[in-house]
Amino acid sequence: MTTADRAVARFGVGLRSTLLAALRSPTALALLVALPPLVVVGYAEAMAGFPRLPFVETVPKTAGRLNGALFATAFLAGLLGLFQVVSAARADRRLVVAGYPRATLFVARLTSVLVVVAVAAALSLATLWFGVAPEAPLAAFGSLLLAGLTYGLVGVLVGSVLPRELEGSLVLVTLADMDAILSSGLVETKGLASFTPLHAANPLFRAAVLDGTLPSDELRAGLATVAGLAVLTAVAYLRLVGTAGSGDGTVESAGDGPAADTGGDVR
Amino acid sequence: MTRTRAGAALVASARQYARTPVLLALLVAVPAYLVGVVGRVVPDAQVPLYGVDGATTAGAAAAFGTLMAPLAVALVAGISGLFLADRTATDRRLVVAGYRPWQLLAGRLGVLVGVTLLASAATLAALATVRVPDQPGAFVVALLLAGLGYGAVGALVGSALDRLPGTYVLLFAPTLDGFLVQSPLASGGSDLAGYLPAGAPVELAMAAAYGTPDLTVVGRGLAVAALLAAAATVVFYRRLPVAQG
């Protein structure tokens, strides 16, 4: 077996085990199925009472549906990113000690996040379709994928800094909810509030659904956001698993929830 | 001796609560975010109010802030109830050691009431930055009803689910109930919705903020909260061994 073959085989094992770990989490699966319809309908009904706003072209209920789909995708992706880091951090540290390359592990984690993001985006788009038919479905799916990938990385980042499922997911639900509102165009933002993680993906998604277009400026900004987050996430993740064997107990002591039960899922 | 034990159970439950940073953070962050922040970022427009005597429209920021207030207290109390119910192993040992179940229950209930009061105070402080209710006394009653009702729901959920899935149930159930089913921003809705845990608290809160509160709504809210508390008490007793002394 050549070095390249070995790397591919290791990547495959890492990806498979990570996806299996995600599928074995009942909470994650229940959220994946229940969250998109709940949030899309919820946001739509919350906005339904609003009169048409002078500075917004979209009917409020439709704006609510769009925001709901975006929030559901972003939050689910973030949650899965967080769960993966928290539940797998201990196993990853052992694998690194055993000689498994850190970069391969990281790419396997990211790829599995991308796979789950694609499922979450498809479910959110399907739910949205019941109320609003997208003008350009593929572009809409692509922009949801971008939003999901953005928050998948945010989730990994949060998990690297705060390796606890409950606390991390509460941080994520607040972040994603606030971001979906601030980037929606329904409220006026200034300063840093104009550069939230979804600041490009949200208008991109709206344009794809309502106009059937994919504005290149937003697309570039969205990809740049993902690239920047990927670098930050890589640094945080590599530091997390790179401390293997130091015996500081940071990750082990953090696994006091259900995460601890799945801590050794990579095999 | 009995009172001392009940007091010791209360102090132990309060200490346990205070040692859980996520609960302390929620106590401040949930009212600040749901009432203070969301109330500020919603678009500046007049929205219709349905089913509120004395008002047909209101500013969106104030209406959302008011609607979110019982929800914020319900979320904090619900998750606290979940965490407080999640101590069965310790409770069993204490009962074997001679504690009566009601003493343990009184300790939990005392903490839950304290948390509800603190969450209500934090929520009122956050709401005051957006709008002060016309009748603050009735508004506080609405917040307490929301907290006690969902505190009991939290205890019930905690007896069936682990903390993580339980927390999600207690994030989404009150949101669906208080924000969607009871929303005064939407017309229509079923009469049965008023008997859900957030039914009376939201109706009373909106009336206290904009109209004339109805005492029968308080009675309905108390009845629903008492029913939920009774169910939580039954479940609590069933999970413990028979008292030894």
Side-chain angles (χ1 to χ4, degrees):
Chain A
M1 187 181 265
T2 64
T3 308
D5 289 341
R6 201 176 302 130
V8 170
R10 279 177 164 166
F11 170 76
V13 170
L15 179 61
R16 185 173 153 272
S17 59
T18 311
L19 284 173
L20 282 177
L23 288 174
R24 284 191 201 122
S25 163
T27 306
L29 280 180
L31 284 171
L32 197 63
V33 174
L35 200 71
L38 193 74
V39 173
V40 171
V41 173
Y43 273 47
E45 293 307 316
M47 291 293 294
F50 274 80
R52 201 156 177 165
L53 301 168
F55 54 93
V56 181
E57 289 179 10
T58 321
V59 175
K61 192 167 183 173
T62 303
R65 281 184 199 282
L66 294 178
N67 255 7
L70 199 79
F71 167 76
T73 309
F75 175 56
L76 279 171
L79 207 60
L80 268 296
L82 170 82
F83 282 3
Q84 288 208 358
V85 170
V86 175
S87 66
R90 189 163 33 179
D92 285 3
R93 284 159 66 107
R94 291 196 193 115
L95 285 170
V96 169
V97 169
Y100 210 100
R102 292 185 302 168
T104 308
L105 270 177
F106 179 65
V107 174
R109 296 280 174 230
L110 273 196
T111 310
S112 63
V113 168
L114 192 60
V115 171
V116 178
V117 164
V119 176
L123 285 171
S124 297
L125 192 63
T127 312
L128 176 74
W129 219 312
F130 280 103
V132 182
E135 291 288 331
L138 267 181
F141 178 72
S143 24
L144 276 182
L145 212 57
L146 188 68
L149 188 56
T150 304
Y151 261 86
L153 290 167
V154 171
V156 175
L157 199 57
V158 169
S160 304
V161 178
L162 181 67
R164 301 177 76 94
E165 287 189 339
L166 180 60
E167 289 82 349
S169 60
L170 289 172
V171 168
L172 274 173
V173 73
T174 312
L175 266 182
D177 186 44
M178 184 46 64
D179 193 353
I181 297 173
L182 288 176
S183 60
S184 66
L186 296 171
V187 294
E188 290 176 36
T189 55
K190 53 189 173 187
L192 280 178
S194 308
F195 294 97
T196 58
L198 293 178
H199 78 281
N202 200 336
L204 203 62
F205 178 56
R206 288 202 306 273
V209 173
L210 300 173
D211 310 327
T213 59
L214 208 56
S216 54
D217 283 353
E218 272 81 5
L219 185 59
R220 271 197 296 273
L223 291 173
T225 304
V226 167
L229 280 169
V231 172
L232 285 176
T233 307
V235 171
Y237 178 82
L238 295 180
R239 280 174 64 94
L240 184 76
V241 296
T243 55
S246 65
D248 62 1
T250 308
V251 175
E252 279 77 6
S253 63
D256 59 355
D261 300 331
T262 56
D265 263 338
V266 175
R267 41 180 178 258
Chain B
M1 185 66 172
T2 297
R3 280 186 189 169
T4 312
R5 279 183 174 165
L10 175 65
V11 171
S13 292
R15 278 199 184 132
Q16 186 70 24
Y17 186 92
R19 284 187 195 132
T20 314
V22 68
L23 292 179
L24 295 178
L26 285 175
L27 197 56
V28 177
V30 169
Y33 175 66
L34 284 183
V35 180
V37 177
V38 172
R40 284 177 181 281
V41 300
V42 293
D44 185 20
Q46 286 287 308
V47 290
L49 290 183
Y50 297 98
V52 180
D53 287 338
T56 51
T57 61
F64 263 77
T66 307
L67 178 60
M68 290 291 193
L71 175 59
V73 178
L75 285 172
V76 173
I79 294 174
S80 301
L82 170 84
F83 275 63
L84 287 169
D86 184 29
R87 296 183 62 205
T88 312
T90 314
D91 288 346
R92 282 190 180 136
R93 283 189 212 115
L94 286 171
V95 169
V96 169
Y99 269 77
R100 303 273 182 183
W102 75 262
Q103 294 165 342
L104 301 174
L105 187 65
R108 302 282 202 291
L109 194 62
V111 173
L112 200 57
V113 169
V115 167
T116 301
L117 287 169
L118 287 174
S120 300
T123 301
L124 273 178
L127 184 62
T129 65
V130 185
R131 183 182 197 275
V132 177
D134 290 348
Q135 302 195 39
F139 196 82
V140 170
V141 172
L143 298 185
L144 295 179
L145 286 175
L148 295 178
Y150 266 101
V153 171
L156 285 168
V157 171
S159 66
L161 293 177
D162 287 335
R163 281 186 179 180
L164 188 67
T167 300
Y168 282 113
V169 168
L170 288 161
L171 278 178
F172 293 114
T175 306
L176 269 180
D177 181 9
F179 191 59
L180 295 180
V181 179
Q182 315 294 344
S183 176
L185 305 180
S187 59
S190 162
D191 289 341
L192 287 177
Y195 292 92
L196 288 173
V202 169
E203 194 176 335
L204 187 61
M206 295 308 290
Y210 292 102
T212 313
D214 183 353
L215 270 182
T216 60
V217 178
V218 179
R220 173 158 40 92
L222 279 173
V224 171
L227 202 65
L228 289 165
T233 303
V234 170
V235 171
F236 180 79
Y237 268 81
R238 284 176 65 96
R239 296 175 77 196
L240 292 177
V242 178
Q244 301 296 304

